[in-house]
Every structure is written in structure tokens, then in C-alpha cells.
Amino acid sequence: MANISVVNMEGKEVGTLELNDAVFGVEVKDHLMHKAVVLQLANNRQGTQSALGRTEVRGGGRKPWRQKGTGHARQGSIRAPQWKGGGVVFAPKPRDYSFKMNRKEKQAAICSALTTKLNENKLIVVDDIKLDEIKTKSMVKVLDAIKASKALVVLGEKNDNVYLSTRHIDKTKAALTNEINVYDILGHDSLVLTKDAVAKLEEVYA
């Protein structure tokens, strides 16, 4: 099992924490992380794009000129795809892009992402994060002290002061352990976990 330093909000080391290899020391499965990211993006798509095919555009019922003898290429309709104002070839239509992953695949993908952050030394464990008020400057000060930039801050319990103070920091996000996903973990430079968040992740995924 890997040991990691635990820091406080001032960035000072206050102890160490032993991480469970079943969550933070797994074999990294790139294909599952890729699948999880594609799923996240696909499920976020509205799927409302729509265009008209050649059978749906108005007009074009009459043949524009006779088949032979004009010197022009033969044409059957002025609404064919090669004409201005014609229908679109294989026109996109409203559809559902979402798909599903098996529960064990999701679990393996998240554990792979957590292990990747640990291997890259971009995982920071904080004993606790508490703010007396909703203040972006206070949260920026904490992140600067623990040397976390463009961070995903994962909390074990809901804390509106931390959540709302993080909301306006560029490329930084706060979330609970049951809200994290592979896209967010890999999409942020640093992963900041509170001690209780680590405990909850190990409880769920170990």
C-alpha cells in the first residue's frame, strides 16, 4: 500500500495516510478510461441537430432539362445534394447518443484514473477544508498553499462554503465523492481529496 503525505489548509504536512491499493494502486486500464470519457461526452449531447434530406426539401419535382442533347450533365432534380438549396446527404436527425457501461467497468475506470493521478504525483490529500464564509479569495489562498492548480476538489461531505467559493475559480471544481467521474479527474491538473473523501472512496470502490 502506498503512503501519501497529508497536509493542512496552510500546506504544512500534518501526517501520512496509507492508501488502499484496490483503489489507488490498480492496473491502469486506458481503454476503460477512454470509454468512460466518451460516455460522459456522449451522454451530455443534446442530440437535437436536424437537417433536410433530398426527399424533404421543398420543390425539385420537375426534371430541370431533358435527359439528352443539351450538353449538360443529366439531372433529375434541382434539389439533389449537388445543387444549391438541395437536400443534405445523410442529413443528421435528432437522436440519442447516450450509451451505458457496466458497473464494474465504471468502477475500474475511476480506480484507474485515481491511480494515474497518484502515479503522476498530482494527488493531494488534505486533512480537512473548512471556510467560515463563501469567499473565492479564501479558497484561492488554500489552493495556493497546497500547490494545487486547476484542481478537482473532492469532499467527503457537502460543504456549501467550499463548493460556492470554488465555483468562480478558473478551471477548478468542487464535488462530492458520489459525483466524480473519469472525465473530471483526468481533465484537471490536480486532484485534491479530503481525508474523509479518501475513506468514502475506499469504502465504495475497494
Side-chain angles (χ1 to χ4, degrees), residues 110 114 129 152-163 166 173-182 184-185 191-194 196-198 200-201 204-205:
I110 286 182
L114 293 171
I129 301 177
L152 174 64
V153 181
V154 183
L155 307 171
E157 296 180 354
K158 188 175 181 181
N159 188 321
D160 286 337
N161 286 355
V162 174
Y163 178 81
T166 308
K173 178 180 179 180
L176 296 174
T177 52
N178 61 349
E179 296 173 336
I180 61 172
N181 55 70
V182 176
D184 281 340
I185 294 172
L191 176 62
V192 179
L193 303 175
T194 59
D196 55 345
V198 172
K200 285 196 173 183
L201 287 173
V204 172
Y205 295 108

Side-chain angles (χ1 to χ4, degrees), residues 119-133:
N119 293 342
E120 293 175 350
N121 294 319
K122 293 181 178 178
L123 176 62
I124 301 167
V125 178
V126 186
D127 60 349
D128 198 8
I129 301 177
K130 289 184 179 178
L131 299 178
D132 296 330
E133 57 181 339

